[in-house]
Amino acid sequence: GINAEFQYFTHGILPQYRTIASRSALVIIIARTGCSVNLKTFIPLLKNVLVASSALIVETIVHALMAQFHLGYDDWKWSLCQGMIGACPTAAVVIPGVMLLQAEGYGQKDGPVPLMLGALVVESGVAIWAATFLLATITSDKSIGFLGAMAPVQIFGGIVSGLIAGVMVHICVWLVRNEAQRLPTGRFSFEHLNTIRRTAIAATLVMGHGLAFLAYDIEMVGGGIIAVLSMGCFVANYWMAGDDQEWIEIKIGLNAGLAQIWDSVSMPLLFSMAGTNISLKRVFDGNIFPKGLLILVCSCLSRILFVGVSPFGLGLDMKERIFQMVASIGKVTVQVALAGIPLETYTKKLAAIDPIGDPETFAATSLLYDRSIMFQSILMLFALFPSPIVAIWVKKFGPIALHKD
């Protein structure tokens, strides 16, 4: 019965493991996103990147409008929150495929790839920050005024703390790098280079997890996400700034290490833990699935159409535009990590209420519990369908659409 379901969510160690897995996965994917930013190519395209990133706003609005009128929400906060989470793209689907194409010589010097990566970074940072803020408005007991007042504090504090963490990562790596003597060739030994790379990975993970988990504890999740993104961006670009081949190799090793950890540990753990909180019966419920599928299709189409007209002045041909349009709808990580938060929150709250002693609060919380189920079920459709389409698209159509250098 329903009490058994409450026991499942609120007792034992499963909820704690699920929370740790989702937070850790966000840290790694945001750190990877930050490390993939190359300011030398990003800044000249800034105007185009900002225009392309506006697809996030377009898709969020389309999703929110449809959710408000088709799902029966009586509160715009829920619609906007669902729309923002659903609109957030994921680096986990796009970046690995694009980097593989670049390693094979495709899209290295021109084409849509720099614009795609720049827009992905901006959208991911903005969407995750905005989504965590909107989640706080529907799950926290704090007023919207207080949460709104703290928003600029989180942005500024996140950037500053991320830069400080990036400097600390660099110092750790620099100290380890200078511990060994160089070989007669002028280079470090292969073993020492591996030690430097492992130090870079370890320092980035420790700092990133520290920032994010501290932000969760003080209820400033958006600031923590911005901090991790800033840290990764600072480290990657500082190491590339002087064109020192050794530091560039360390940066490449950091990217490769984070990618391996994501593929081997974080992604399987995140999806397996998220699976314990997903009911396929709910996702494919006859009252939810058709509406959710309609919202998914219309949201993705709005993004595709907007992205298709955004790269003005870049000289992209039709194949490159089509490649960018379809690749932009990749989603999975943020949806899996954030969609279940309202359900877990209101399940715990409902389990703590005496239905006999406080029937009004129990009824109101039960309504929010039911809404959380629909909220998660809709967003799971966004996690299930676009990502495999985009992964196949990037792999198969990329070599056809992109120029080989």
Side-chain angles (χ1 to χ4, degrees):
I2 191 168
N3 288 330
E5 186 171 348
F6 291 155
Q7 293 284 327
Y8 170 79
F9 279 113
T10 57
H11 290 72
I13 61 174
L14 182 61
Q16 287 74 23
Y17 275 125
R18 188 164 51 236
T19 298
I20 293 171
S22 62
R23 294 179 183 179
S24 179
L26 274 179
V27 169
I28 292 173
I29 200 62
I30 291 298
R32 282 186 67 191
T33 302
C35 288
S36 68
V37 177
N38 186 343
L39 292 179
K40 292 180 180 179
T41 58
F42 180 84
I43 292 177
L45 294 173
L46 182 59
K47 180 170 66 175
N48 296 91
V49 167
L50 293 178
V51 172
S53 301
S54 300
L56 173 72
I57 300 174
V58 173
E59 184 179 355
T60 298
I61 293 174
V62 171
H63 186 141
L65 287 171
M66 297 192 68
Q68 185 71 14
F69 294 107
H70 288 284
L71 301 181
Y73 289 146
D74 58 359
D75 188 340
W76 278 99
K77 296 193 298 293
W78 284 82
S79 301
L80 287 171
C81 185
Q82 181 178 299
M84 183 59 70
I85 296 175
C88 184
T90 179
V93 175
V94 179
I95 286 182
V98 168
M99 286 186 171
L100 183 60
L101 288 173
Q102 288 187 316
E104 296 173 353
Y106 294 100
Q108 290 182 340
K109 297 179 180 179
D110 56 9
V113 171
L115 178 62
M116 289 169 56
L117 295 180
L120 179 63
V121 171
V122 173
E123 287 191 58
S124 297
V126 171
I128 294 175
W129 175 83
T132 53
F133 170 79
L134 291 168
L135 280 171
T137 66
I138 63 178
T139 59
S140 174
D141 295 328
K142 296 179 179 178
S143 67
I144 296 180
F146 174 81
L147 295 171
M150 294 303 296
V153 175
Q154 293 193 49
I155 295 174
F156 179 76
I159 294 174
V160 172
S161 58
L163 293 177
I164 294 173
V167 171
M168 295 176 69
V169 170
H170 173 71
I171 291 174
C172 290
V173 176
W174 181 83
L175 289 173
V176 173
R177 176 176 178 265
N178 292 335
E179 278 187 348
Q181 297 293 325
R182 293 182 180 272
L183 299 173
T185 58
R187 290 180 58 84
F188 291 114
S189 67
F190 182 76
E191 292 77 9
H192 188 62
L193 287 174
N194 280 337
T195 300
I196 297 172
R197 295 188 186 106
R198 286 194 292 267
T199 302
I201 296 168
T204 301
L205 291 177
V206 169
M207 290 295 178
H209 281 79
L211 289 169
F213 278 75
L214 175 62
Y216 272 100
D217 287 341
I218 62 177
E219 297 186 7
M220 291 192 176
V221 182
I225 296 300
I226 293 174
V228 176
L229 185 66
S230 301
M231 178 191 69
C233 184
F234 169 82
V235 167
N237 285 274
Y238 187 74
W239 290 347
M240 292 190 298
D243 294 326
D244 186 321
Q245 190 61 33
E246 284 186 355
W247 284 108
I248 293 175
E249 289 177 2
I250 294 171
K251 183 260 182 185
I252 294 173
L254 173 60
N255 279 347
L258 292 176
Q260 186 175 11
I261 292 172
W262 169 256
D263 292 337
S264 304
V265 180
S266 296
M267 182 173 61
L269 184 61
L270 172 66
F271 290 169
S272 61
M273 288 293 100
T276 65
N277 199 20
I278 298 173
S279 170
L280 291 178
K281 182 179 179 181
R282 293 172 181 167
V283 173
F284 294 100
D285 181 88
N287 294 322
I288 295 178
F289 179 73
K291 298 176 182 178
L293 191 60
L294 177 64
I295 294 173
L296 171 63
V297 171
C298 292
S299 299
C300 289
L301 283 177
S302 68
R303 170 180 284 275
I304 288 173
L305 293 174
F306 187 87
V307 170
V309 299
S310 63
F312 56 87
L314 296 182
L316 301 183
D317 60 32
M318 185 56 64
K319 288 189 295 183
E320 291 173 325
R321 285 175 180 262
I322 294 174
F323 174 76
Q324 181 187 1
M325 289 162 67
V326 178
S328 70
I329 66 171
K331 314 167 188 294
V332 66
T333 310
V334 176
Q335 291 73 26
V336 171
L338 299 182
I341 290 178
L343 180 58
E344 291 195 16
T345 300
Y346 286 108
T347 302
K348 293 176 182 178
K349 289 185 177 182
L350 196 57
I353 300 173
D354 181 4
I356 299 177
D358 193 356
E360 293 183 359
T361 303
F362 185 83
T365 308
S366 297
L367 178 63
L368 295 175
Y369 169 80
D370 293 337
R371 183 178 296 171
S372 300
I373 292 176
M374 182 164 59
F375 182 93
Q376 185 192 39
S377 299
I378 296 294
L379 289 175
M380 285 304 99
L381 294 177
F382 281 74
L384 289 172
F385 291 110
S387 55
I389 294 174
V390 170
I392 296 172
W393 175 263
V394 170
K395 181 176 178 60
K396 297 297 183 182
F397 191 68
I400 299 174
L402 301 178
H403 300 293
K404 190 168 185 178
D405 301 318

